[in-house]
Amino acid sequence: MSRLALNLAGISLASAFAVSFVGTAGAQLMTQKSLSLAMATTIAQTAIATCKSQGYNVSAHVVGRNGEVLVAMRGDGTAPHTMENSMKKAYTSRTLRIPSGQFAANVKGNPTAGQLFLTNFVPAQGALPIMVGEDTIGAIGISGAPGGDKDEACAKVGIDRVAADLK
């Protein structure tokens, strides 16, 4: 390799390093709030207890910021399918940042809606996003009551229980 080619290669390499360092000089770490295990547990337990007091045996899932399961609880006497269903409801709500019932309404009559074919999405009412301001930090899904509206009402009581701490 000629001396000129080596010099050009060296200049190019130095320029690439300079550009990459300049590009990151103003970068900052992100600061975000996330659900604690204690808060997720309180939300789930409150929702299950609320449904139980109304005569409904339910399962609950609370998922975190990235859709990961933080808490999974199957209430006494609850059918086995409710565990999977409550998780999918919670995941759907968290991922889309809307109540799972809203997703069901959005895709009603549209069997080719893309999300219907994704893993862990379900068009069923019973889950609500957990918000801090406009930031969705998780979701709770409930399954087992006779109707998604009842599941959702229990989920809301769970979130309301910790509402003062969601700031």
Side-chain angles (χ1 to χ4, degrees):
M1 195 182 245
S2 73
R3 185 157 181 81
L4 177 61
L6 284 173
N7 284 340
L8 287 175
I11 291 170
S12 295
L13 187 58
S15 296
F17 280 123
V19 168
S20 69
F21 286 124
V22 169
T24 61
Q28 298 176 19
L29 291 174
M30 294 179 7
T31 303
Q32 53 192 6
K33 295 187 179 208
S34 295
L35 289 170
S36 67
L37 176 60
M39 184 177 285
T41 301
T42 298
I43 293 169
Q45 287 176 330
T46 301
I48 288 175
T50 299
C51 273
K52 185 69 172 176
S53 73
Q54 297 170 7
Y56 314 135
N57 296 323
V58 300
S59 292
H61 271 79
V62 177
V63 297
R65 174 176 291 284
N66 297 311
E68 74 283 14
V69 174
L70 299 176
V71 173
M73 294 182 176
R74 181 172 174 240
D76 296 335
T78 304
H81 71 278
T82 62
M83 281 297 283
E84 180 179 352
N85 202 32
S86 63
M87 190 283 296
K88 287 183 174 185
K89 288 179 181 184
Y91 185 83
T92 299
S93 181
R94 165 53 197 107
T95 303
L96 299 175
R97 299 182 308 273
I98 59 174
S100 62
Q102 180 62 50
F103 173 63
N106 291 350
V107 300
K108 188 174 186 174
N110 184 6
T112 61
Q115 290 98 341
L116 289 174
F117 302 99
L118 296 175
T119 302
N120 295 328
F121 276 75
V122 65
Q125 187 176 10
L128 295 172
I130 301 169
M131 311 288 290
V132 173
E134 295 297 314
D135 188 19
T136 304
I137 64 167
I140 178 173
I142 302 294
S143 180
D149 57 327
K150 295 169 184 63
D151 289 332
E152 187 176 299
C154 294
K156 182 170 180 355
V157 174
I159 294 170
D160 289 348
R161 172 71 170 81
V162 299
D165 297 322
L166 292 173
K167 297 185 185 240

